[in-house]
Amino acid sequence: KLSSEYIIGLSGIKTGTHVFNVNKDLAKAGVEADPYLTLEGIEYTFPNTITLVVSERQGTACFEFRGAYVVTDSTGFILESCMEKDRPDLPIIEGINVTEFALGAKIRTDDTYKQDIMTTLLETFAQYNMTDKIARINLEDVNSITLVLKNGMNANFGQADKIEEKLAWLANILPVLEGEGKTGG
């Protein structure tokens, strides 16, 4: 989503800078000042080319925090904060008590076990291309995890074990249920 010019600007590397004069640490800090970006490496092609290898984090869920919505990637890394009207169409995480957050850092909760479950769920959703099908993730009771799907169905996951198996099952059965015209339940 972000332009090359923007990323180069963040790096602080100017045209004409000799490759041996590039401060990798400053370039990394500059690029990663944008929470969506990770500088994977800096490559040199002699005599005069510098390539920034950058990956962009993707928002995979959000949670409410003091009247705002906080967008996180699948690892719990905070990407942005926004108001309800600007909230992206991502699953909303409920039942996790976030104690603080800072852009460009991982969330902090009073229950790291729930945080680990959240991360596992979000990473597995991405594996099975399920993120866009989930409306809400309720982690209030880790022995009775519930997913509310955008089509109105509820998926009762039970305990936080065998998450990958459960999501594989859900990914396989969901098209069958939708094909049968099921829109809730």
Side-chain angles (χ1 to χ4, degrees), residues 110-163:
D110 61 359
D111 188 338
T112 55
Y113 181 62
K114 281 185 182 181
Q115 186 173 346
D116 290 343
I117 293 168
M118 177 199 76
T119 301
T120 302
L121 281 168
L122 295 177
E123 288 174 343
T124 311
F125 290 159
Q127 269 182 306
Y128 287 94
N129 296 317
M130 294 287 294
T131 303
D132 62 337
K133 296 184 183 301
I134 310 295
R136 296 188 177 274
I137 305 162
N138 189 320
L139 298 175
E140 189 69 39
D141 179 356
V142 294
N143 292 312
S144 183
I145 296 170
T146 305
L147 305 179
V148 178
L149 307 180
K150 288 182 179 174
N151 66 8
M153 292 185 195
N154 291 330
N156 298 320
F157 256 49
Q159 294 180 340
D161 64 341
K162 301 180 184 177
I163 288 175

